[in-house]
Amino acid sequence: MIPGTTSPSGDGGEGFVEAAVRTVLTAADDEVDVTVGQAALLLACANADSASEHVVRQWRRATGRPVTRLVPDALTARAWAMLFAARGVTPDWAGELPPLDLDAEEHAHRQHLAGVRRRPGVEATLAELAAQAEERAEAGDVPGAREAVATWARVARDTPRPDMATLAGCRRVAVLLTEGALALPESWVHAYADSLVAALHTRYPVDAMGSSWPELIDEILHLRGMPDTAPPPASNEALAEAERRLGVVLPDSYRRFLLTCDGLPADVVFPRLLSVSELTTRTTEDGVGVEVVIAEPSVLLLRPTSGEVLEHDPVFGVSVHRDIRALLEYHRRLLEASTGAVDHLDDTGAW
């Protein structure tokens, strides 16, 4: 079933999500990989690139298996190649896939469509609609092509595993898909991706330290429903200037954070992390040392010598985190455990 539409049972796609999660949790590894690959392709076809790439990254992190397991056949490889070409951007993970001759693939796909259209049942109907969309787009009838895609979606919504690869393998249809011809509700996209990622983490537990700094920041922002909003990294020159201005040496973990992103937006349960130019110091309570104020409001204080971060909470008092990374990993775990991990910022962006 294509989610985002109403199924015969009226579940609006929930059964689709539940089936995918159940497969990830209980099926053999080969079936897990097929399900994750189909999910990533569906999200990409729905023009939800960030969610698609998030699922792939988390699957790779959880399983350590090669990406080729998500692209098990020539048809799926063709679909991804057409989408990448239409978008003009190829994600890093796709570097493991062999390059394809798109002209040759277009010819092969026409033959594939002709073969599938001769089969009985809904598979032939979907192939016929995909072919119609491609033919209309090639003739310059973009509205007609988009209508054929919409009809394809209405037919596919009652199919447990719609053949996304046959649709996306159409070269001109792939362009329409990257323009939103098969857009799904954003809330469903986040729920689908996050449910699969949570299932992957349950099936394949991973030490949080295994993720790189960029991955950790990307995961936090995705869980907040704010993908691709990380500030640009600070420069080494800016860090050196801040250390001269503050009179302290910033600990390695905090430097790596700033070299990944220069601060972090606020979340309803997390303050805004300051950029390097905004950092200030204050004297410790015992009057002996200094602490670096790293958040607004100033509820997070960095101890330069140890790298520890003190979190001041009006209810729970002071918590000590090993370093900035430990604090952010704790924040990520809270987001993963939350059922409302999307749209945490208030209207003003304030904490």
Side-chain angles (χ1 to χ4, degrees), residues 25 97 141 226 229 235 258 266 327:
L25 291 175
L97 303 178
D141 180 11
M226 303 165 56
T229 59
S235 66
L258 291 172
L327 170 67

Side-chain angles (χ1 to χ4, degrees), residues 60 94 136 237 244 271 322:
R60 291 180 72 188
R136 292 174 183 177
E237 292 76 13
R244 286 192 295 270
R322 181 187 67 249

Side-chain angles (χ1 to χ4, degrees), residues 260-275:
T260 302
C261 58
D262 191 9
L264 201 64
D267 179 79
V268 72
V269 294
F270 199 81
R272 182 175 71 88
L273 296 185
L274 301 176
S275 66

Side-chain angles (χ1 to χ4, degrees), residues 1-6 12-13 16-17 38-39 41-48 51 152-154 157 162 164 177 180-190 192-193:
M1 181 181 67
I2 288 291
T5 59
T6 302
F16 185 93
V17 176
Q38 290 175 336
L41 183 59
L42 168 59
L43 291 168
C45 288
N47 202 27
W152 184 97
R154 288 193 291 272
R157 72 182 185 182
M164 305 305 304
L177 295 176
L182 195 66
L184 300 176
E186 186 176 354
S187 59
W188 188 91
V189 165
H190 283 293
Y192 185 38

Side-chain angles (χ1 to χ4, degrees), residues 29 53 66 71 142 157 180 190 209 222 342:
D29 286 344
E53 292 176 21
V71 188
V142 174
R157 72 182 185 182
H190 283 293
M209 289 298 288
H222 178 83
V342 180

Side-chain angles (χ1 to χ4, degrees), residues 49-271:
D49 301 334
S50 293
S52 175
E53 292 176 21
H54 179 62
V55 168
V56 173
R57 286 198 305 268
Q58 291 302 304
W59 171 85
R60 291 180 72 188
R61 175 177 167 231
T63 69
R65 296 196 281 267
V67 162
T68 49
R69 292 186 53 115
L70 301 183
V71 188
D73 52 51
L75 176 60
T76 306
R78 179 184 307 138
W80 279 114
M82 294 301 181
L83 288 170
F84 296 152
R87 190 173 296 118
V89 176
T90 301
D92 292 342
W93 64 262
E96 298 179 27
L97 303 178
L100 298 179
D101 181 332
L102 295 188
D103 291 336
E105 293 299 322
E106 182 179 1
H107 177 72
H109 200 63
R110 292 183 187 277
Q111 294 180 319
H112 168 74
L113 286 171
V116 177
R117 291 161 82 177
R118 290 193 292 267
R119 299 175 188 172
V122 69
E123 190 176 6
T125 302
L126 292 174
E128 177 66 32
L129 289 167
Q132 287 180 16
E134 179 74 357
E135 291 163 3
R136 292 174 183 177
E138 186 174 13
D141 180 11
V142 174
R146 293 178 73 92
E147 176 56 33
V149 172
T151 303
W152 184 97
R154 288 193 291 272
V155 174
R157 72 182 185 182
D158 296 326
T159 304
R161 285 189 172 181
D163 186 0
M164 305 305 304
T166 292
L167 181 68
C170 298
R171 192 170 191 173
R172 292 158 189 83
V173 171
V175 174
L176 298 179
L177 295 176
T178 63
E179 295 173 349
L182 195 66
L184 300 176
E186 186 176 354
S187 59
W188 188 91
V189 165
H190 283 293
Y192 185 38
D194 292 344
S195 295
L196 285 174
V197 168
L200 284 167
H201 288 175
T202 300
R203 172 75 179 260
Y204 308 100
V206 177
D207 182 356
M209 289 298 288
S211 56
S212 68
W213 269 107
E215 288 172 337
L216 176 59
I217 299 303
D218 285 349
E219 289 157 13
I220 287 172
L221 292 174
H222 178 83
L223 288 166
R224 291 181 179 184
M226 303 165 56
D228 304 320
T229 59
S235 66
N236 283 301
E237 292 76 13
L239 291 179
E241 171 58 30
E243 289 178 330
R244 286 192 295 270
R245 175 172 58 83
L246 300 172
V248 301
V249 176
L250 297 173
D252 287 344
S253 179
Y254 189 62
R255 289 177 62 89
R256 286 195 292 271
F257 162 68
L258 291 172
L259 290 171
T260 302
C261 58
D262 191 9
L264 201 64
D267 179 79
V268 72
V269 294
F270 199 81

